[in-house]
């Protein structure tokens, strides 16, 4: 059985995330998804915040006047 690897050790974007955070970008992780995938808060980059549900967070933000744009990959 393969051993679990901490996602922080696999990211190539740590520097870009740190720079974005320094410029006011908020990186939020969905607690529901983290629980399903066995990811802990400690596994995230230090600038990340955890929200209970990504869907609920998006709805709340849209109600506050925020816009949602999904980028393609």
């Amino acid at each position: 059985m393969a051993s679990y690897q901490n996602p922080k050790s696999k990211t190539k974007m740590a520097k870009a995330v740190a720079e974005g955070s320094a410029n006011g970008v908020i990186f939020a992780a969905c607690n529901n998804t983290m629980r399903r995938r066995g990811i802990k808060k400690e596994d995230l980059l230090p600038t990340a915040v955890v929200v209970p549900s990504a869907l609920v967070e998006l709805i709340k933000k849209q109600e506050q006047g925020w816009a949602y744009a999904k980028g393609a990959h």
Side-chain angles (χ1 to χ4, degrees), residues 19 48 52:
E19 289 172 359

Side-chain angles (χ1 to χ4, degrees), residues 58 62 66-72:
L58 288 171
Q62 288 178 331
W66 293 53
Y68 172 68
K70 181 179 179 182

Side-chain angles (χ1 to χ4, degrees), residues 7-66:
K8 281 193 290 193
S9 67
K10 294 167 56 175
T11 186
K12 297 175 183 172
M13 299 299 297
K15 183 179 178 183
V17 169
E19 289 172 359
S21 293
N23 288 307
V25 177
I26 298 170
F27 294 90
C30 175
N31 190 57
N32 290 337
T33 300
M34 290 172 58
R35 187 173 50 247
R36 279 194 304 273
R37 295 188 180 187
I39 299 170
K40 298 180 181 118
K41 167 77 172 147
E42 302 81 45
D43 296 334
L44 303 177
L45 293 170
T47 55
V49 297
V50 178
V51 296
S53 165
L55 181 60
V56 172
E57 187 70 15
L58 288 171
I59 291 168
K60 286 180 179 179
K61 294 298 187 201
Q62 288 178 331
E63 287 174 345
Q64 295 171 3
W66 293 53

